[in-house]
Amino acid sequence: MAPRGLSVEEKRVRLLEIFHETKDFYQLKELEKLGPKMKGIVSQSVKEILQSLIDDGLVQGDKIGSSNFHWSFPSQRGVMVQARLAKAQELRESQQKQLTEVKESIRVERSARTQSESRSNSLARLADLRRQVVTLEKELSAYGDCDPVKIEEKKRAVFLAKEAALRWTDNYGTLLSYFVRQNGVDPAEIRRFLEIDEEYEDIS
């Protein structure tokens, strides 16, 4: 079986090793000769690999006279890693701050909607109306065309029950949409935080 060729990452590591082990400056044509000889890197791929290292800031380059020279020292990689770590930490702190602000907004809004006898009664009424909707729709299906008067009465009752239920869900839907737009929060997270079931708005 023929030996497996080097992956792009392996070529990057080996090309960097040439710089770090020799601590010298090189032109591209020199690296194209040293790559196969020292690290088994195919000469045709050296230019592309070198450019990727330059793009990542791991290899530096400058034009001296009419020639381009490249170099890299072990300390450069450490500096790059530290810079990336600092950037990641800064991003994490920013996101943590946003999350804290969102949670505080939710806490304030939730405290404004504290449990009261009136709210508890309203929620109980909403649950009862939903049950009535289900019951009435089943009864309508069972009656069919047998009793037009009763069917019309029950249709009216279903309509009124739905209207009442929708009124109670309107405020919840408006508030949820506002938080999603203002804070970019996942609606599911807000539902979990407020302990609201996923089917809360499922009224068709």
Side-chain angles (χ1 to χ4, degrees), residues 107-150:
R107 186 195 66 77
V108 170
E109 186 60 32
R110 194 178 186 186
S111 66
R113 297 176 60 188
T114 52
Q115 288 290 342
S116 64
E117 183 176 355
S118 174
R119 186 167 184 271
S120 296
N121 290 338
S122 296
L123 291 174
R125 175 61 177 161
L126 174 59
D128 183 57
L129 288 172
R130 283 182 171 176
R131 287 191 293 271
Q132 289 183 39
V133 168
V134 173
T135 300
L136 291 172
E137 287 180 337
K138 287 181 178 179
E139 289 184 11
L140 275 172
S141 177
Y143 279 121
D145 298 326
C146 297
D147 191 342
V149 176
K150 289 185 177 180

Side-chain angles (χ1 to χ4, degrees), residues 33-84:
K33 293 178 181 179
L34 291 174
K37 182 179 179 180
M38 295 179 62
K39 298 296 180 179
I41 306 172
V42 178
S43 60
Q44 289 86 345
S45 65
V46 170
K47 182 177 181 180
E48 181 182 353
I49 298 301
L50 177 63
Q51 187 60 51
S52 74
L53 293 172
I54 293 172
D55 293 341
D56 288 346
L58 297 175
V59 171
Q60 305 300 313
D62 200 0
K63 189 169 185 178
I64 301 175
S66 60
S67 302
N68 289 310
F69 287 88
H70 305 281
W71 66 91
S72 177
F73 301 111
S75 59
Q76 284 181 241
R77 187 173 184 85
V79 171
M80 288 293 297
V81 171
Q82 285 294 105
R84 290 177 180 176

